[in-house]
Amino acid sequence: DPASDHPILEAAQQIVATQDSLNESWAQLQETVSERRAQLAAAEQIHIFARDAAEARAWISEKDAQLTDDYGKDVGSAENLQRQHEAFERDLEAVQTRVEDLTGSADRLSSQYPDYMTVIDEQQQAMTASWEELNSRTLQRRERLSDSLELYHLLRDAVSLMSWMEDMMHLLSTNETIHDVASAEAALQLHDDHRRAIEAREDNVVKVTEFGQGLVDRGHFACEQVQDRLENLHSAWEDMHQF
């Protein structure tokens, strides 16, 4: 009977409609869960990157704190500090690798999660700025240590020559007592020996002078001190030739 079938048909249609509604709700729930899962995964990766970038900055800060203003006080101490700095720069290679890896991660995450690009860029730029500052200070210290070592080499050589000149002038100013021809010849021979010793030192004086002048010409940080030392050296050299 068609009339008796009508309620059954309506019930069947209601069941189908309910099923369709449930299916749609389920699909929406799955989509929501999937989106939430993706958001959580993104948040986790961004958090991990931020943590790693912060650790890298802390590492950089630790290295930066090791850069001191101690440049030595003589050739030996400056050479020792220079060797230490070379080892320090080798240690920085690991930091550089870490920074480069994290920079690559930042590029990948920014592309994958554009909504987080601003946060990622801020972390990456802060890390890069710290690294570049450390690199700059490291280079400055390397150059200053090199300049200091050159200065100490010059001062050591100049002091050595000045000391030798003082001893030589003392010898040249000593009046030998002449008793006879033999003592006169001995005194003359001694004087000639002194002159030959002076001539033998001339190359050393020229080398120190040229080296020091090179420092002055390129604007060495201690150029005034170098210039004064060279003037004293030349004055002593000229005075010695007056004997």
Side-chain angles (χ1 to χ4, degrees), residues 164 189-201:
W164 178 85
Q189 180 63 47
L190 182 60
H191 187 76
D192 289 341
D193 290 342
H194 291 161
R195 287 300 175 187
R196 282 192 290 271
I198 293 173
E199 291 173 359
R201 292 276 180 163

Side-chain angles (χ1 to χ4, degrees), residues 9 13 16 50 79 87 99 104 126 155 162 164 177 213-214 223:
L9 180 61
Q13 290 175 342
V16 171
E79 286 179 339
V99 170
L155 296 179
M162 289 287 290
W164 178 85
T177 301
Q213 191 59 50
C223 59

Side-chain angles (χ1 to χ4, degrees), residues 150-151 153-159 161 165 198-218 226 229-230 233-234 237:
E150 288 181 324
L151 172 64
H153 273 297
L154 174 73
L155 296 179
R156 181 191 64 184
D157 293 345
V159 166
L161 282 173
M165 289 181 194
I198 293 173
E199 291 173 359
R201 292 276 180 163
E202 185 171 3
D203 284 345
N204 293 349
V205 175
V206 171
K207 289 178 180 178
V208 171
T209 300
E210 290 178 346
F211 181 69
Q213 191 59 50
L215 298 183
V216 173
D217 291 344
R218 79 160 193 256
V226 172
R229 189 56 57 96
L230 291 180
L233 184 65
H234 294 162
W237 182 250

Side-chain angles (χ1 to χ4, degrees), residues 37-90:
R37 183 182 293 112
Q39 291 173 354
L40 289 173
E44 181 182 21
Q45 291 192 56
I46 301 306
H47 176 75
I48 291 173
F49 171 77
R51 180 200 63 193
D52 292 345
E55 289 178 352
R57 292 200 305 274
W59 195 6
I60 291 170
S61 295
E62 290 176 4
K63 290 297 183 183
D64 187 76
Q66 296 176 25
L67 295 173
T68 70
D69 294 330
D70 182 8
Y71 302 106
K73 58 183 180 181
D74 51 32
V75 172
S77 59
E79 286 179 339
N80 185 51
L81 288 171
Q82 193 174 59
R83 285 192 295 270
Q84 292 177 9
H85 189 72
E86 290 170 354
F88 173 83
E89 291 196 69
R90 288 193 295 271

